């Protein structure tokens, strides 16, 4: 065993860690992975930020609002931490990880000097060493560390994790996204789509089942494009369905362009797979769908949902919609309302368009006024609430930011 590793364990043993997670299920899972890594290095998780020597904030960049909330909590956490410094063994470290870390890289330190380290989604395995270095440098000179150049996570992080009498767990099947929907920051902050091998995924699920988990959610930005060279998404679902000890499973999120009749048949026939589908629509206007680079028309989407309902009897169907995309007219908006009326989703998550850095849509004027966005938001929420009321609500929320 190398000396360094033993030393790391001793220096950090008992150090108290608090993690706050913003955003989607992918971030929830990433926070669990970080807790697993740091738990193995001897850290103790605490429930309140003021009790922690190390605070990690796992962040979301999907909409501006999510970022604004993060900037506002950092200062408050630092204040609490410093108040308790004596009791925390003089350690007061704040780390910012996740999509904002990748979005702003070392600029985070300019925006918020209270942050000590910045780690992107593909570099989370480096966190234990980074904190150790910061602790060693304590008092010598002020040091900031950032790691945002990783391309792929090492496989071991998916296996070095405890389940603490949990019944359900998320399992990442693919990382990143290469779809480049024109409004979306994900391909820029989570990188190109990479699929984990089906053998590793099955191994991870079996490890969870051995520890008492009975329900899993397969996670990815675009799960139904899964392909590891030997196994495609439907085949993966069949493999998971056959695992002994597993009671039920589902998956998030699907892209309409990669959604096939074979997938619907699998949902209908695989006994443990929940009869539900989260299929983001985004807009009911063909003009806007084209500007969004979604790769389908409203007619294609409608046919798809009709096919789903025919094959998956009583299957739940939910969606995401963005309103106020650049140049969205009243007529475009009405197209969306009409499609919602026709399809009658069990649930739809409605988002006001938020311009994101680096995206193609950023070059378009954000010309739907705030008041129009508010008005459309209310109209569509009222409509969807009325539709949802007459339907069953899906048990699990979909892969979208809070
Ligand atoms: N503005 C508003 N909503 C967005 N989403 C993604 N990017 C944006 C953006 N720039 C929504 C989409 C996606 C969900 C996770 O978040 O509807 O499906
Ligand atoms: Fe973003 Fe989803 Fe489009 Fe990928 S498929 S770019 S994650 S909205």
């Amino acid at each position: 065993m190398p000396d360094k590793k033993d030393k790391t364990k001793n220096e950090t043993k008992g150090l108290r860690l608090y993690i706050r997670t913003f955003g989607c299920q992918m971030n929830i899972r990433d926070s669990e992975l970080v807790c697993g890594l740091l738990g193995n290095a001897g850290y103790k998780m605490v429930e309140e930020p003021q009790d922690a020597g190390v605070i990690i904030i796992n962040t979301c960049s999907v909409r501006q609002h999510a970022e604004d909330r993060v900037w506002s909590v950092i200062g408050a956490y630092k204040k609490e931490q410093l108040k308790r410094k004596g009791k925390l063994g003089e350690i007061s470290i704040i780390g910012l990880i996740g999509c904002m870390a990748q979005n702003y890289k070392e600029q985070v330190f300019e925006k918020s000097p209270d942050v000590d380290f910045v780690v992107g989604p593909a570099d989370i395995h480096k966190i234990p060493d980074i904190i150790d270095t910061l602790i060693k440098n304590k008092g010598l000179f002020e040091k900031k560390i950032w790691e945002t150049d990783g391309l792929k996570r090492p496989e071991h992080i998916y296996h070095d994790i405890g389940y603490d009498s949990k019944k359900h767990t998320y399992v990442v099947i693919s990382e990143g996204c290469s779809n480049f929907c024109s409004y979306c920051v994900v391909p820029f902050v989570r990188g190109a789509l990479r699929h984990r091998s089906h053998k590793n995924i099955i191994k991870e699920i079996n490890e969870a089942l051995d520890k008492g988990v009975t329900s899993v959610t397969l996670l990815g930005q675009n799960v139904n494009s899964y392909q590891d060279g030997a196994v495609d998404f439907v085949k993966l679902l069949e493999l998971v369905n056959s695992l002994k000890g597993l009671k039920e499973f589902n998956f998030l999120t699907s892209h309409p362009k990669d959604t096939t009749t074979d997938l619907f048949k699998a949902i209908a026939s695989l006994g443990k797979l929940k009869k539900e589908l989260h299929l983001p629509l985004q807009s009911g206007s063909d003009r806007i769908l084209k500007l969004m680079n979604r790769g389908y028309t409203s007619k294609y989407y409608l046919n798809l949902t009709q096919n789903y309902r025919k094959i998956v009897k009583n299957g739940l169907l939910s969606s995401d919609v963005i309103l106020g995309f650049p140049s969205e007219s009243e007529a475009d908006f009405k197209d969306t309302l009409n499609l919602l009326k026709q399809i009658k989703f069990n649930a739809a998550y409605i988002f006001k368009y938020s311009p994101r850095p680096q995206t193609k849509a950023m070059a378009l004027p954000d010309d739907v006024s705030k008041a129009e966005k508010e008005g459309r938001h209310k109209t569509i929420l009222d409509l969807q609430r009325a539709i949802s009321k007459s339907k069953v609500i899906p048990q699990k929320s979909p892969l979208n930011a809070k």
Side-chain angles (χ1 to χ4, degrees), residues 345-358:
F345 293 110
N346 297 90
Y349 300 83
I350 318 289
F351 305 105
K352 288 175 237 165
Y353 170 71
S354 167
R356 304 315 296 139
Q358 303 180 75

Side-chain angles (χ1 to χ4, degrees), residues 284-300:
S285 152
D286 288 339
R287 194 181 67 82
I288 297 291
L289 282 172
K290 201 157 185 208
L291 284 176
M292 286 178 162
N293 191 30
R294 288 293 287 174
Y296 54 85
T297 61
S298 56
K299 187 155 181 256
Y300 169 91

Side-chain angles (χ1 to χ4, degrees), residues 62-63 183 282 320 322 351-354 356 399-400:
V62 164
R63 283 169 292 276
Y183 50 81
Q282 311 300 8
D320 292 345
I322 299 176
F351 305 105
K352 288 175 237 165
Y353 170 71
S354 167
R356 304 315 296 139
L399 184 73
N400 55 29

